[in-house]
C-alpha cells in the first residue's frame, strides 16, 4: 500500500510503493497500484477543497437581486456534518470524478483564469452547496440548503437532477429540503419531489443511471452520467438525456466489453474495478473514429461516444484508464520539466495519433495511452473470432509501430525527469518485445502503409523547408541542374497548420477494408476520390486523380503524399515515390515557389523525380 513519510515540518507526503512504480512505469498497474493512486488523489481533493474554502473566506460572490443567498459557510458546515456521520457518503461525493473537475475549474476561475463555462462565478462556486446537499442526503441527514439553478436545472451530484420547468432566468437558486429521505427541491412556486429512493424517476426528477459491469454479483456499478454539468471535459455542459433504449444499449455494450477485459486484460479489469467510476456517454461519431476524453483532474471519469462494436469500447476503456493512471502518477511526480513560460516557444513533436503537433507533456500522455491500446490488441487478436481477427492484428501492428517510433524519438530528451526517463525506458522495452511479435503479412502491410501515410501527410501540412534552400532549388530547377541543392535536406521548420484535419484517413479506410469490405467508404471525412482509389488498390487511377488535384488551384498539401503512394509500384519512379512518402514538404514548397516566381508549376511527377535525386535524411 502507499506509505506516507514524515517531513521535518510535520507534513506527510504520499509515495508509491516500489512494486507499483515498476508496474505503472511498464504501462500496467493493477488494483494495488490504483488504490495507492486513489489514496493520494483523496488527499489532493481535500487540499483543493480547503483552498476553495480559504479563497471564499472573504465572503461569498455577489448574487443578483431576487435570488436567495447561498452561504458557502452553511454548505461547508453541512459537508463536514455528512463526513462525520456517514463517512462513506462523504467519500463517494469527494471521489466522484466530477467533483475533481469542478474543484479545478472553480479554483482557476477564482484566480482569474479563462472561464470554461458561461455560468457566473457565484453559480460556479455555489456548486459546493449542491455537493453538500447530495452528501447530506446520502448520509440520511435532515437539512435545508440553498443551491444554484442552471437554466432551470438543479443537479445534485451522484443522485440526479431536478428540472424546474417554470424557471425563466438562466441562473437562479432553489431550496433543497431533506426530511426522512425525501428530497424537496423548490424554486419559486414550483417544487420537485425525489425519493426515497432517489434512483426512482418522478415528475421533474431525473435520477443518475448506473451500469452493472458484470453479472457476477460483485456490486460494481459505473455511473452512466447524463446529468452532472462537470461530467464533460474540459467544458461543462447541460444534461443530455438518453432514451430507455439508448441506456439499455450502453448496458449491453459495457457488459460485453467488461467480459472481454476480464478475459484479455484481467489486471486492467481489476484496476478499473476500483478506479473507474463514471462514463459520460456522447452520440456515436463517424465510423472507426470514436471520440473519448479523460481529464487529470477527474480521476475515474471517462467521456466516450457510442462505439462501433464491443472490442472498440474495450480498447477505449483501456486507453482512457491509461490516461487516468498517468494523471494520478503525475500528481505525485512530474515526467517532464514544467511548460515554457507564457510567451516562450515550446518545443512541439509529431504525434502519430493526432493531427496537430504536441508538446512533450502531451506526447507522453499519448505514448502511455496507446501503449495500453497496443497491449490490449496484442492479446485480443488471439481471442477474437475469425471475422474480427484481421482488424485486431491491424490495430496491434499499427499502434505498436506508432508507440515504438515515438518512444524512440523522445526517450532521451533532456527535459525528462528521472521518473519520465524510467517510464519511457520501461515502455521502450515493451515496444521491443511487441515489434518481435509476428503479424500476418496483409495486416502488417496495411498498418505500415497507414502509419507512413499519416506521417507523410503531417509533414506536408506542418513542415517548411528553409526558405533560402527552396529559393535555390527553384533556380536550380529552372537552370536544368542535375539535382536539387543539398541545403533542401536541412531540418525543416515546424509551422503548425491549425486547419489540418483527418490525417488518419488511410487507417480509417483500412478498417473499412478489414471490418466491412462491402460498405461504402465514400462518406469518410477527409477522404477524396483519389484516397478511395488508393484504398481499392487502383494505383493508376489514384495517380491521375492526385495529379488532377495538384494541377488545380490551391491543391491540398496531402496530395503530394498520396501521389507518392500511387507511383510506388513504378520502378523508374522509385526515388520520386520515396521522396514524396518521406519528405513531401519539399515538393510542396518548391512547387509553390515555382508558381510564385514563374506563374506556372512543374509537372508533379517530374519535380518529385528530380527532388528524389537529392533525397537525404534531415541533417
Amino acid at each position: 500500500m502507499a506509505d506516507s513519510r514524515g517531513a521535518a515540518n510535520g507534513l506527510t507526503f504520499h509515495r508509491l510503493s516500489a512494486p507499483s512504480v515498476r508496474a505503472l512505469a511498464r504501462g500496467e498497474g493493477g488494483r494495488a497500484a490504483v488504490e495507492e493512486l486513489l489514496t493520494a488523489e483523496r488527499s489532493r481533493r481535500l487540499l483543493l477543497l480547503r483552498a476553495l474554502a480559504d479563497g471564499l473566506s472573504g465572503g461569498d460572490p455577489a448574487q443578483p437581486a431576487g435570488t436567495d443567498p447561498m452561504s458557502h459557510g452553511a454548505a461547508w458546515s453541512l459537508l463536514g456534518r455528512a463526513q462525520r456521520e456517514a463517512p462513506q457518503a462523504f467519500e463517494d461525493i469527494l471521489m466522484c470524478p466530477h467533483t475533481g473537475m469542478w474543484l479545478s475549474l472553480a479554483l482557476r476561475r477564482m484566480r482569474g483564469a479563462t472561464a470554461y463555462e458561461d455560468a457566473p462565478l457565484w453559480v460556479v462556486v455555489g456548486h459546493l452547496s449542491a455537493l453538500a446537499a447530495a452528501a447530506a442526503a446520502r448520509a440520511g441527514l435532515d437539512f435545508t440548503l440553498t443551491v444554484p439553478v442552471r437554466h432551470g436545472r438543479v443537479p445534485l451530484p451522484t443522485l440526479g437532477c431536478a428540472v424546474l420547468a417554470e424557471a425563466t432566468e438562466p441562473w437562479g437558486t432553489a431550496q433543497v429540503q431533506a426530511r426522512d429521505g425525501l428530497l424537496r427541491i423548490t424554486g419559486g412556486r414550483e417544487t420537485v419531489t425525489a425519493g426515497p429512493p432517489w434512483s426512482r424517476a418522478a415528475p421533474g426528477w431525473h435520477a443518475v443511471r448506473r451500469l452493472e459491469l458484470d453479472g457476477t454479483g460483485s456490486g460494481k456499478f459505473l455511473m452512466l452520467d447524463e446529468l452532472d454539468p462537470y461530467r464533460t471535459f474540459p467544458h461543462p455542459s447541460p444534461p443530455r438525456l438518453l432514451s430507455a433504449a439508448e441506456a439499455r444499449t450502453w448496458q449491453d455494450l459495457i457488459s460485453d466489453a467488461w467480459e472481454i477485459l476480464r478475459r484479455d486484460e484481467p489486471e486492467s479489469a481489476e484496476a478499473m474495478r476500483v478506479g473507474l467510476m463514471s462514463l459520460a456517454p456522447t452520440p456515436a461519431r463517424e465510423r472507426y473514429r470514436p471520440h473519448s476524453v479523460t481529464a487529470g483532474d477527474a480521476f475515474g471519469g471517462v467521456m466516450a461516444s457510442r462505439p462501433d462494436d464491443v472490442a472498440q469500447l474495450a480498447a477505449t476503456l483501456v486507453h482512457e484508464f491509461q490516461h487516468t493512471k498517468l494523471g494520478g502518477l503525475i500528481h505525485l511526480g512530474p515526467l517532464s520539466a514544467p511548460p515554457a513560460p507564457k510567451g516562450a516557444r515550446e518545443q512541439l513533436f509529431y504525434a502519430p495519433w493526432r493531427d496537430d503537433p504536441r508538446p512533450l507533456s502531451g506526447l507522453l500522455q499519448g505514448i502511455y495511452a496507446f501503449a495500453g491500446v497496443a497491449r490490449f490488441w496484442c492479446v485480443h487478436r488471439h481471442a477474437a473470432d475469425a471475422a474480427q481477427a484481421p482488424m485486431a492484428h491491424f490495430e496491434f501492428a499499427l499502434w505498436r509501430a506508432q508507440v515504438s517510433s515515438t518512444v524512440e524519438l523522445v526517450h532521451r530528451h533532456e527535459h525528462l525527469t528521472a521518473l519520465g526517463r524510467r517510464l519511457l525506458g520501461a515502455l521502450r522495452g515493451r515496444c521491443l518485445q511487441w515489434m518481435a511479435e509476428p503479424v500476418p503479412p496483409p495486416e502488417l502491410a496495411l498498418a505500415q502503409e497507414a502509419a507512413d501515410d499519416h506521417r507523410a501527410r503531417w509533414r506536408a501540412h506542418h513542415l517548411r523547408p528553409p526558405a533560402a534552400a527552396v529559393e535555390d532549388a527553384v533556380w536550380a530547377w529552372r537552370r536544368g541542374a542535375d539535382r536539387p541543392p543539398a541545403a533542401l535536406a536541412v531540418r525543416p521548420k515546424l509551422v503548425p497548420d491549425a486547419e489540418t484535419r483527418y490525417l488518419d484517413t488511410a487507417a480509417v479506410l483500412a478498417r473499412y477494408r478489414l471490418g466491412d469490405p462491402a460498405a461504402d467508404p465514400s462518406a469518410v471525412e477527409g477522404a477524396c476520390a483519389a484516397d478511395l482509389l488508393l484504398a481499392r488498390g487502383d494505383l493508376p487511377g489514384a495517380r491521375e486523380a492526385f495529379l488532377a488535384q495538384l494541377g488545380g488551384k490551391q491543391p491540398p498539401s496531402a496530395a503530394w503524399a498520396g501521389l507518392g503512394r500511387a507511383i510506388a509500384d513504378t520502378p523508374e519512379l522509385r526515388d520520386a515515390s520515396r521522396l514524396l512518402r518521406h519528405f513531401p514538404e519539399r515538393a510542396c514548397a518548391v512547387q509553390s515557389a515555382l508558381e510564385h516566381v514563374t506563374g506556372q508549376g512543374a509537372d508533379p511527377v517530374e519535380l518529385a523525380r528530380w527532388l528524389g535525386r537529392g533525397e537525404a535524411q534531415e541533417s
Side-chain angles (χ1 to χ4, degrees), residues 455-481:
R455 179 181 289 272
R457 289 171 182 251
W458 187 93
R459 292 185 67 99
H461 279 280
H462 297 297
L463 298 184
R464 304 289 182 269
V470 172
E471 184 178 348
D472 289 346
V474 167
W475 290 113
W477 169 268
R478 296 183 69 193
R479 291 195 309 270

Side-chain angles (χ1 to χ4, degrees), residues 100-190:
M101 195 72 233
W102 164 71
L103 275 169
S104 174
L105 294 179
L107 284 168
R108 292 175 192 171
R109 182 79 174 271
M110 289 174 65
R111 294 167 181 170
T114 302
Y116 278 84
E117 57 179 320
D118 58 354
L121 179 60
W122 66 270
V123 171
V124 174
V125 298
H127 191 69
L128 176 66
S129 295
L131 290 174
R138 294 182 64 136
L141 305 180
D142 291 346
F143 65 91
T144 300
L145 192 67
T146 302
V147 300
V149 178
R150 296 164 170 263
H151 295 278
R153 295 179 287 265
V154 182
L156 296 178
T158 76
L159 299 183
C161 181
V163 178
L164 302 174
E166 296 179 6
T168 58
E169 297 297 324
W171 318 109
T173 56
Q175 291 280 335
V176 178
Q177 185 181 62
R179 293 290 183 273
D180 300 321
L182 183 71
L183 285 178
R184 295 171 59 85
I185 301 102
T186 302
R189 296 175 298 176
E190 186 177 6

